[in-house]
Every structure is written in C-alpha cells, then in structure tokens.
C-alpha cells in the first residue's frame, strides 16, 4: 500500500489521518483530494513533507479527475463529506451531492482499476438510542450500544446521506467484488476541528468572551473518541480488515453534552453555569454508543486516549495557541447560529 488517496484530507479527521500516516508509515505517499469547501483548510497540512503529501484541489464528483487519480493509486481512504448536521437542516443539497454522488463517483473508479477502498462513515447511520435514564433500571450498564448488526435508521439529511453512501459501498462489494471495507465511528475530538462543531465552538466562544451555547436540556449523549485513535483504527482496518466487512470504532467515551460543557468551563477557569441554553436541534438524536468489540477482538485495536479530561485539556490548549487558525471565521459562524436562535 504505497500510494494512497485521502479524500477530504484537508478537513478535520482526514488531515489528522494524513499526519498520522506521514509520522508512522514512511513508505506511504499520500495524495489528498479535497475541494477546500468552508470546512477544508490548507493550513491543516502545513509543514508536511512535499515529497510525501500532494494536495490536489478538486471535487470527488468530478469523474474525470477521480478516474485519473485512482488509476495511479493502490487505495482510496474516503473521508470527504459534508459533515455537519445543523447545516444539513438548513440546506441538504450539497450533502446529497457530495456524500452520495461523490461516493458513487469514487466507487466507479475503484471498480474500474480494482483499487482498495475504505469508506469512512458514522455511527449516526443507526439513528439514536434511548437515554439510559429513561430505561427501566436506569444507570450505568443499562441500555444497548450500536453493533455492526444494528438497523439503519438515520435521522437527519446528513446521516441519511451517509447511510446512503454506506449502502452503495455494500452493493459495489456484492455486485462488483469491490475490495472495500466500511468503518462507522463515533464523535471525534482533537485539533483542526471546525469551530462550528460542539467542542471547538464552546472553547472558542470562551476565548472570544462569548457565552457557550448548549442545545436544549444538554442531556443528549455522544460517545467521544480522540481523532488519533480513529486514525490508528482506520489504518488497522485498511491493512488488516476483511474485505466486505463493517467495523465500528469507539472508545467507550459516553458523556452528556452538559457534562462536557461543564468540563470545558472548569478547565478554562470559568464558573460551571456560565453558559446559555439555546434552541434545540430539530430531530436531535438522544444517545450514541458504540460497541467496538469486533475491531478490538478481530484486529487487535485499542484506544490510547482513554482519559477524556486530558485529551480535552490538550484540545483547549491547541485552540488557545492557534487563534490565527480560527479567529477570522468566528464572527460568521456565530452569526449563522444566531439566525436559528442557537
Ligand atoms: P470536515 O467537514 O471537517 O471535513 C470534510 C472535508 O471534505 C473538508 O476538507 C472538505 O473540503 C472536503 N470536501 C467536502 N466536499 C468535498 C467534495 N465534494 N470533494 C472533495 N472534498 C470535499 O469533516 P470531518 O468531521 O473531518 O469528517 C470527515 C469524515 O468522517 C466524514 O465522512 C464524516 O461523515 C466522517 N465522520 C466524522 C465524525 C466526526 O465526529 N467529525 C465521526 C464519524 C465519522
Ligand atoms: O457521531 C458522529 C458524528 O458526530 C459525525 O458523523 C458528524 O460528522 C459530527 O459532526 C458529529 O455529529 P454531532 O451532531 O453529534 O456533532 P456536533 O458537534 O454538531 O454536536 C455534538 C452535540 O452537541 C450534539 O448533541 C449537539 C450539541 N451541540 C452542538 C453545538 C454545535 C450543542 O449543544 N451546542 C452547540 O453549539
């Protein structure tokens, strides 16, 4: 696996994966195919060696470009997507185009050249789980988690477009013997995450003198994983995964949003209640939780960032030290949220 294409490699998780590959697999050359939408940023790849990483600015829906690049590659790791639920509720159009048509375009090229394909997906394709507190015998250990056998039941335009792309991959494996795998991961945190997302939004709010914003009750639970653990899991699946299989990636990091926000406030020296409760997200998924037994037992992966508070502290430090990376976009991001009372 010497020449890989990383789509969306200038975004949050994709760029962290490119850094991971450069730092850990010296034999690999990476072509990043990225449209540089509002979420993509050249700066995420700054400092990486030019002989190891090439950025091609282009659209995964551009069949000619994709064909040309895939014809020279050993594998495609497909991160590119429209990724934000809130945006998909305002305008689903680019989600349908990039997440579905873009994935289809890549699949066709990989099929033509018999190139290994790994599809990055999300736990949100399974919909949500009830809050543990709403179940009989509520508390720790009560309630199921998502497994590879869970039923697809996506809630938002974003998650349904990702579910659609997963189904395309399955069909290309079954019908055309495409050498593909799929991973569905839980919520990532770490450096280079766009400030529209929950954790960086709150950190940069505090750094900007704006009160953090919590949707609804704040009881909604997300299963947090450090993006470096996600990168190592993807590399493991790419190199050791069984073709046609689905692997769920998660680090047992369930926390409700209020608890995460209080932790951020505490780590940044603010009172625990110094936030605003704002309009809830329509159709807001209640709880995500991943059972990653298959990945752990079959491929031997384990998360390394098991102390969330320490990972969060490093993430806060990163945003504090990289104000130049986010400052110019802050006002526009907040103005967009304000229009929805968020
Ligand atoms: P992101 O929004 O930070 O980055 C997406 C990248 O894709 C950007 O660089 C953007 O420029 C690029 N892109 C968008 N449309 C494109 C197109 N048509 N052609 C080429 N490039 C295009 O997203 P992220 O949070 O890093 O998520 C990356 C992937 O991981 C997505 O597929 C997402 O569904 C999946 N995922 C994300 C999380 C999470 O917590 N963020 C969890 C599980 C899975
Ligand atoms: O589960 C994986 C998914 O995680 C990925 O597929 C998505 O690409 C990624 O964006 C993320 O989706 P979420 O919708 O869970 O992430 P977000 O950061 O938008 O929100 C996390 C939680 O925080 C969610 O319950 C909504 C809430 N929230 C969000 C924002 C932006 C707030 O309470 N306040 C906010 O300001």
């Amino acid at each position: 696996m010497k020449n890989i294409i990383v789509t969306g490699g200038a975004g949050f998780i994709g760029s962290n994966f490119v850094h991971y590959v450069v730092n850990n697999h010296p034999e690999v050359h990476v072509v990043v195919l990225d449209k540089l939408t509002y979420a993509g940023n050249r700066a995420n790849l700054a400092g990486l060696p030019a002989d190891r990483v090439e950025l091609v600015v282009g659209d995964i829906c551009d069949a000619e470009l994709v064909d040309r690049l895939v014809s020279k590659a050993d594998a495609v790791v497909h991160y590119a997507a429209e990724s934000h639920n809130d945006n998909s509720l305002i305008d689903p159009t680019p989600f349908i185009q990039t997440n579905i048509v873009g994935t289809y375009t890549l699949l066709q090229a990989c099929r033509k050249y018999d190139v290994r394909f790994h599809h990055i997906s999300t736990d949100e394709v399974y919909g949500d789980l009830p809050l543990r507190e709403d179940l009989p015998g509520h508390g720790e250990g009560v309630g199921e988690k998502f497994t590879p056998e869970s039923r697809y039941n996506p809630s938002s335009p974003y998650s349904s477009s990702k579910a659609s792309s997963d189904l395309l991959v399955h069909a290309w494996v079954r019908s055309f013997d495409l050498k593909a795998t799929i991973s569905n991961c839980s919520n990532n945190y770490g450096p280079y995450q766009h400030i529209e997302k929950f954790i960086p939004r709150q950190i940069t709010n505090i750094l900007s003198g704006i009160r953090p914003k919590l949707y609804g009750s704040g009881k909604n639970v997300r299963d947090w994983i450090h993006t470096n653990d996600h990168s190592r899991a993807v590399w493991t699946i790419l190199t050791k995964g069984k073709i046609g299989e689905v692997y769920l990636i998660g680090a047992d990091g369930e926390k409700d949003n209020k608890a995460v926000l209080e932790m951020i406030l505490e780590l940044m020296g603010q009172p625990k209640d110094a936030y605003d409760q704002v309009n809830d997200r329509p159709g807001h998924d209640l709880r995500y939780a991943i059972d990653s037994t298959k990945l752990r037992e079959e491929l031997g992966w384990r998360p390394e960032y098991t102390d969330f508070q320490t990972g969060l502290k490093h993430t806060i430090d990163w945003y504090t030290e990289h104000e130049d990376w986010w400052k110019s976009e802050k006002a526009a991001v907040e103005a967009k949220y304000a229009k929805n009372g968020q």
Side-chain angles (χ1 to χ4, degrees), residues 83-86 122-124 158 185-187 196-198 201-202 213-215 220 222 224 257 281 284 288 337:
S83 68
H84 193 36
N85 277 297
D86 291 326
T122 167
D123 56 359
E124 295 192 16
Y158 161 67
C185 188
S186 60
N187 285 62
E196 68 189 352
K197 303 290 184 350
F198 178 56
R201 184 182 182 204
Q202 313 314 333
K213 309 289 183 225
L214 187 67
Y215 292 177
N220 307 62
R222 296 296 181 262
W224 294 99
N257 295 338
R281 174 184 285 171
H284 196 173
Y288 305 142
Y337 276 122

Side-chain angles (χ1 to χ4, degrees), residues 64-271:
E64 231 171 85
L65 172 65
V66 165
D67 185 281
R68 185 154 45 81
L69 295 177
V70 171
S71 71
K72 294 180 274 186
D74 301 316
V76 173
V77 187
H78 176 34
Y79 287 89
E82 286 293 333
S83 68
H84 193 36
N85 277 297
D86 291 326
N87 292 344
S88 81
L89 296 164
I90 298 168
D91 179 12
T93 316
F95 290 77
I96 303 303
Q97 185 63 15
T98 289
N99 300 1
I100 304 179
V101 179
T103 301
Y104 158 75
T105 308
L106 292 163
L107 288 173
Q108 284 291 71
C110 289
R111 174 189 169 198
K112 181 170 166 190
Y113 296 105
D114 194 24
V115 165
R116 173 84 169 84
F117 185 78
H118 181 68
H119 182 57
I120 306 295
S121 194
T122 167
D123 56 359
E124 295 192 16
V125 299
Y126 302 117
D128 61 355
L129 298 162
L131 294 178
R132 293 184 198 277
E133 66 185 45
D134 294 336
L135 294 168
H138 57 85
E140 276 293 311
V142 170
E144 55 171 336
K145 295 185 172 196
F146 297 132
T147 72
E149 286 72 43
S150 295
R151 186 169 74 90
Y152 271 49
N153 188 27
S155 311
S156 73
Y158 161 67
S159 53
S160 57
S161 69
K162 291 297 291 186
S164 308
S165 64
D166 289 13
L167 297 184
L168 291 178
V169 179
H170 281 295
W172 261 243
V173 170
R174 168 103 186 219
S175 303
F176 306 124
D177 290 325
L178 186 79
K179 293 183 297 199
T181 39
I182 299 177
S183 54
N184 298 81
C185 188
S186 60
N187 285 62
N188 283 223
Y189 73 100
Y192 301 114
Q193 185 168 32
H194 195 277
I195 57 167
E196 68 189 352
K197 303 290 184 350
F198 178 56
I199 288 179
R201 184 182 182 204
Q202 313 314 333
I203 296 170
T204 56
N205 271 6
I206 295 169
L207 292 173
S208 309
I210 302 168
R211 279 166 73 87
K213 309 289 183 225
L214 187 67
Y215 292 177
S217 67
K219 284 182 175 179
N220 307 62
V221 171
R222 296 296 181 262
D223 188 354
W224 294 99
I225 180 172
H226 194 280
T227 189
N228 290 352
D229 279 332
H230 188 184
S231 293
R232 246 183 340 98
V234 169
W235 183 262
T236 304
I237 297 165
L238 184 67
T239 52
K240 298 205 278 183
K242 210 170 139 207
I243 298 304
E245 292 292 311
V246 171
Y247 297 91
L248 266 52
I249 307 173
D252 297 327
E254 278 183 75
K255 285 190 181 35
D256 70 48
N257 295 338
K258 185 163 171 280
V260 173
L261 180 51
E262 285 175 352
M263 209 182 273
I264 294 171
L265 284 160
E266 198 185 332
L267 286 168
M268 296 183 74
Q270 305 291 314

Side-chain angles (χ1 to χ4, degrees), residues 319-328:
Y319 283 92
T320 307
E321 287 155 18
H322 292 82
E323 207 176 273
D324 53 327
W325 186 85
W326 56 267
K327 193 75 180 178
S328 60

